[in-house]
Amino acid sequence: MIRRDMLKWGALASAMAGAPAVALAKAGEGLDVLLLDTRFGDGTTGEMGAARVLTFAGDVTRIWYDHLDCAWRRPGFVVGGITGADALFVLETLAHQQGRKVVARNPLAAVDGVTPVRWVIAPVHPSVLA
């Protein structure tokens, strides 16, 4: 792990742990991709600072096949978002298979029986850091 990555992920995890949902725009600046579940908002991204913002409505299959699977085969690549706990479970399972894990998790108030979660997934194994 290089120093720049340690600083980036450490600051990102602490910023997301206690910040309100609107602060995600500022915290998103250190992310390579920000995932937003449109079940918890209108899907507008405004001034998000992440390199890329992807939206979906509960099912992360397209996001996985079109974006994350390929990206997670390369070193680095930090992903964050606000998704349902159900979508995060799927992403967390897929991330683990690629040497990544959830490094920050903050449950939010339930919406229509689904609990949104603000989270960050980052590499944790030396073979995927760079």
Side-chain angles (χ1 to χ4, degrees):
M1 177 179 276
I2 60 175
R3 183 175 183 264
R4 177 180 57 96
D5 291 333
M6 180 63 103
L7 293 172
K8 175 177 161 182
W9 297 330
L12 194 59
S14 59
M16 294 205 43
V22 293
L24 184 61
K26 290 185 179 18
E29 292 175 11
L31 299 174
D32 294 304
V33 169
L34 177 66
L35 303 182
L36 297 176
D37 193 332
T38 58
R39 295 179 294 174
F40 310 110
D42 61 3
T44 59
T45 58
E47 289 293 317
M48 296 294 186
R52 234 172 137 183
V53 179
L54 303 174
T55 60
F56 64 98
D59 183 5
V60 294
T61 305
R62 261 309 106 205
I63 300 291
W64 169 250
Y65 282 115
D66 293 345
H67 304 283
L68 296 181
D69 183 40
C70 181
W72 280 351
R73 292 176 189 272
R74 298 185 309 259
F77 207 79
V78 178
V79 180
I82 296 179
T83 65
D86 50 350
L88 178 56
F89 173 78
V90 172
L91 290 168
E92 188 172 15
T93 302
L94 296 169
H96 179 71
Q97 297 169 2
Q98 298 291 337
R100 289 153 169 75
K101 73 176 194 173
V102 176
V103 296
R105 177 189 322 248
N106 185 17
L108 305 171
V111 176
D112 295 329
V114 180
T115 303
V117 180
R118 185 173 45 243
W119 51 267
V120 175
I121 294 177
V124 294
H125 190 271
S127 65
V128 295
L129 299 174

